[in-house]
């Protein structure tokens, strides 16, 4: 079998969803998804000439070939995102060629159902009191404790038992937005919000919070310690990812678990973090960290430090289900993030008799490859302005 083409389609959802299609001379087509970002689509197109006439079943060889071609480039994020999207599509081809699902090719499942963490962002447009959605809600209401609680209860009613909220929100304005210093009233408001969420959903639901690297080290510690009474699943990215020692300082100072990793690339990016035990949970971004093979290596590395693996994921159904195949296989899987709860056409992008996510879980099929067929008509309806489909 030979690769005859590598195509892309850029959709506009809550984020850009960059789909990858690899065509072969035997008619088998693989579908993947790359993380959005500057230069990723261009990088995939530039890799195409190096993939034409190669055997798509040689996944490890092609990963190394792509990596070595660009190893001297100025560098790393967009290139690894591009390679990841291509590699996911190669796994889809291997599965379709062999008649086996990707989870089987990876060694077989350790679980049938993949638990989903719904990223709910904030209170969104949930009306205070009755929980109904409205379009004219103002910012103060949107980011109120009551709106957070209403949004949490709605998600739980739809089957999610793990949810996440942002706490670096516009209504908590810093005196100086560049130095990321909190004052006591802001910490108090964060506590009020998470207290309302915990009271609304009880203690059987896992609640995580995301800081988006927004705080300095001492304030991150203040926030994490202030949230200790609520037994959170984690506090995510409390400080910027470049300084592992700063992350370790936060982790060592609080009983609230610290989660990080979405901005790290390949297993090499996680080595220092894990060796220094600077995080309690890692969350490599699935189509950003190197693809299926590399994510498996990252998970196995984390397992040797007894660290749970909870992939970050802001992609569409292709990336989400591809991640689920890996999550089924690795022993230290915790939850898989789902960032598109407010995208009404998420499941309709792939042809299926059932939603991709049901009652807060993904159940993988025995279909070959990723087990997905793209609905190209739906994809066309949601192309980013100026883009064409593949």
């Amino acid at each position: 079998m030979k690769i005859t083409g590598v195509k892309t389609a850029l959709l506009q959802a809550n984020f850009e969803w960059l789909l990858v299609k690899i065509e072969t001379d035997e008619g088998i087509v693989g579908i993947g998804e790359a993380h959005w970002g500057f230069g990723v689509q261009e990088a995939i197109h530039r890799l195409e000439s190096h993939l034409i006439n190669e055997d798509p079943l040689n996944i490890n060889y092609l990963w190394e070939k792509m990596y070595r071609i660009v190893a001297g480039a100025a560098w790393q994020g967009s290139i690894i995102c591009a390679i990841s999207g291509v590699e996911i599509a190669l796994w889809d081809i291997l599965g379709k060629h062999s008649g086996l699902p990707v989870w089987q090719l990876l060694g077989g499942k350790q679980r049938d159902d993949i638990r989903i963490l719904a990223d709910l962002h904030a209170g969104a447009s949930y009306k205070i009191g009755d929980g109904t959605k409205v379009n004219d809600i103002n910012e103060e209401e949107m980011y109120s404790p009551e709106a957070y609680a209403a949004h949490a209860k709605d998600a739980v009613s739809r089957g999610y038992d793990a949810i996440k909220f942002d706490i670096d929100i516009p209504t908590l304005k810093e005196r100086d937005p560049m130095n990321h210093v909190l004052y006591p009233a802001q910490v108090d408001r964060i506590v009020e919000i998470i207290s309302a969420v915990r009271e609304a959903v009880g203690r059987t639901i896992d609640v995580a919070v995301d800081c988006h690297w927004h705080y300095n080290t001492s304030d991150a510690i203040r926030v994490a310690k202030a949230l200790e009474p609520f037994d959170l699943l984690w506090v995510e990215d409390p400080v910027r990812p470049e300084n592992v020692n700063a992350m370790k300082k936060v982790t060592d100072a609080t009983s609230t678990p610290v989660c990080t990793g979405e901005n790290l690339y390949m297993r090499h990016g996680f080595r220092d973090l894990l060796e220094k035990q600077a995080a309690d949970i890692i969350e490599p971004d699935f189509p950003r960290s190197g693809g299926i093979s590399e994510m498996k290596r990252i998970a196995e590395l984390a397992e040797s430090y007894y660290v749970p693996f909870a992939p970050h994921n802001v992609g569409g159904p292709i990336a989400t289900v591809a991640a689920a195949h890996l999550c089924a296989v690795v022993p230290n899987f915790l939850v898989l993030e789902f960032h598109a709860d407010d995208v009404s056409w998420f499941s309709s992008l792939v042809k299926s008799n059932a939603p991709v996510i049901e009652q807060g879980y993904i159940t993988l099929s025995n279909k070959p490859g990723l087990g997905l067929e793209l609905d190209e008509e739906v994809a066309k309806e949601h192309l980013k302005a100026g883009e064409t489909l593949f």
Side-chain angles (χ1 to χ4, degrees), residues 356-372:
V356 173
I357 300 170
E358 288 192 283
Q359 292 295 303
Y361 285 79
I362 292 174
T363 301
L364 294 171
S365 73
N366 294 320
K367 295 179 180 178
L370 297 178
L372 299 174

Side-chain angles (χ1 to χ4, degrees), residues 212-336:
H212 293 109
W213 333 281
H214 208 72
Y215 309 129
N216 62 45
T217 306
S218 60
D219 283 347
I221 291 171
R222 289 170 61 203
V223 170
K225 290 182 72 66
L227 295 176
E228 286 178 352
F230 306 110
D231 291 324
L232 297 181
L233 180 62
W234 70 61
V235 57
E236 182 175 327
D237 289 325
V239 295
R240 292 181 62 85
E242 299 92 347
N243 189 329
V244 172
N245 289 332
M247 192 73 70
K248 176 174 173 54
K249 188 173 181 181
V250 179
T251 301
D252 289 347
T254 179
S255 63
T256 301
V258 171
C259 178
T260 192
E262 69 178 87
N263 290 308
L264 302 176
Y265 298 94
M266 304 184 299
R267 60 194 181 277
H268 311 294
F270 287 85
R271 183 179 58 205
D272 198 28
L273 184 77
L274 290 167
E275 286 180 350
K276 292 182 177 179
Q277 300 185 42
D280 300 295
I281 301 164
I282 62 162
E283 51 151 6
D285 187 278
F286 182 73
R288 181 194 282 181
S289 296
I292 291 174
S293 301
E294 190 68 7
M295 283 283 278
K296 188 170 186 287
R297 297 184 188 104
I298 293 169
E300 290 167 345
L301 180 63
E303 170 67 5
S304 69
Y305 290 91
Y306 317 127
V307 171
F309 171 77
H312 184 267
N313 166 50
V314 298
I318 305 297
T320 302
V321 171
H325 278 267
L326 176 63
C327 294
V329 172
V330 298
N332 53 332
F333 166 70
L334 179 59
V335 289
L336 169 62

Side-chain angles (χ1 to χ4, degrees), residues 342-374:
D342 54 355
V343 178
S344 61
W345 49 277
F346 178 88
S347 287
S348 63
L349 187 59
V350 293
K351 296 178 181 180
S352 175
N353 295 325
V356 173
I357 300 170
E358 288 192 283
Q359 292 295 303
Y361 285 79
I362 292 174
T363 301
L364 294 171
S365 73
N366 294 320
K367 295 179 180 178
L370 297 178
L372 299 174
E373 180 183 355
L374 182 70

Side-chain angles (χ1 to χ4, degrees), residues 30-336:
I31 297 294
E33 183 176 342
H35 193 280
W36 63 276
F38 296 115
V40 179
Q41 191 172 25
E42 179 191 3
I44 293 171
H45 293 162
R46 294 185 69 172
L47 287 170
E48 181 182 26
S49 63
H50 300 284
L51 296 170
I52 295 295
N53 291 323
E54 291 282 8
D55 184 345
L57 306 185
N58 293 329
I59 297 175
N60 289 339
Y61 163 73
L62 292 178
W63 196 102
E64 289 292 339
K65 180 178 181 179
M66 290 186 287
Y67 181 74
R68 294 181 187 196
I69 286 169
V70 300
W75 174 222
Q76 175 174 20
S78 62
I79 301 298
I80 299 302
C81 290
I83 292 173
S84 300
V86 169
E87 193 251 19
I88 291 166
L90 293 174
W91 276 101
D92 193 36
I93 291 173
L94 177 59
K96 290 172 179 176
H97 174 76
S98 66
L100 295 172
V102 170
W103 59 258
Q104 188 71 73
L105 295 170
L106 293 172
K109 291 185 290 185
Q110 305 211 37
R111 55 191 61 84
D112 293 321
D113 300 311
I114 309 306
R115 187 185 185 208
I116 298 301
L117 171 79
D119 189 325
L120 304 177
H121 314 298
S125 53
Y126 282 83
K127 189 175 181 181
I128 296 171
D130 62 10
T132 57
K133 296 193 78 170
V134 295
N135 295 320
D136 59 350
I137 192 167
N138 62 46
E139 190 176 75
E140 288 296 328
E141 287 182 307
M142 183 183 300
Y143 296 105
S144 68
E146 294 86 355
Y148 271 77
H151 202 173
K153 289 176 69 175
D154 171 77
V156 171
S157 73
R158 291 183 284 116
Y160 293 105
D161 60 9
I163 56 178
K164 185 175 79 171
F165 286 105
D166 299 340
I167 57 173
D168 59 319
I169 54 180
T171 52
L172 298 182
K173 296 180 175 64
E174 299 95 340
R175 290 191 175 98
D176 182 340
M178 297 304 292
N179 66 16
H180 301 305
V181 173
L182 292 173
Y183 50 91
Q186 291 176 300
V187 179
D188 293 343
R189 188 61 166 176
I190 291 170
V191 170
E192 290 174 8
I193 288 170
I194 301 307
S195 177
V197 170
R198 176 57 80 200
E199 183 176 353
V201 301
R203 293 180 59 81
T204 61
I205 305 300
D206 276 327
V207 178
V209 300
D210 197 340
C211 306
H212 293 109
W213 333 281
H214 208 72
Y215 309 129
N216 62 45
T217 306
S218 60
D219 283 347
I221 291 171
R222 289 170 61 203
V223 170
K225 290 182 72 66
L227 295 176
E228 286 178 352
F230 306 110
D231 291 324
L232 297 181
L233 180 62
W234 70 61
V235 57
E236 182 175 327
D237 289 325
V239 295
R240 292 181 62 85
E242 299 92 347
N243 189 329
V244 172
N245 289 332
M247 192 73 70
K248 176 174 173 54
K249 188 173 181 181
V250 179
T251 301
D252 289 347
T254 179
S255 63
T256 301
V258 171
C259 178
T260 192
E262 69 178 87
N263 290 308
L264 302 176
Y265 298 94
M266 304 184 299
R267 60 194 181 277
H268 311 294
F270 287 85
R271 183 179 58 205
D272 198 28
L273 184 77
L274 290 167
E275 286 180 350
K276 292 182 177 179
Q277 300 185 42
D280 300 295
I281 301 164
I282 62 162
E283 51 151 6
D285 187 278
F286 182 73
R288 181 194 282 181
S289 296
I292 291 174
S293 301
E294 190 68 7
M295 283 283 278
K296 188 170 186 287
R297 297 184 188 104
I298 293 169
E300 290 167 345
L301 180 63
E303 170 67 5
S304 69
Y305 290 91
Y306 317 127
V307 171
F309 171 77
H312 184 267
N313 166 50
V314 298
I318 305 297
T320 302
V321 171
H325 278 267
L326 176 63
C327 294
V329 172
V330 298
N332 53 332
F333 166 70
L334 179 59
V335 289
L336 169 62

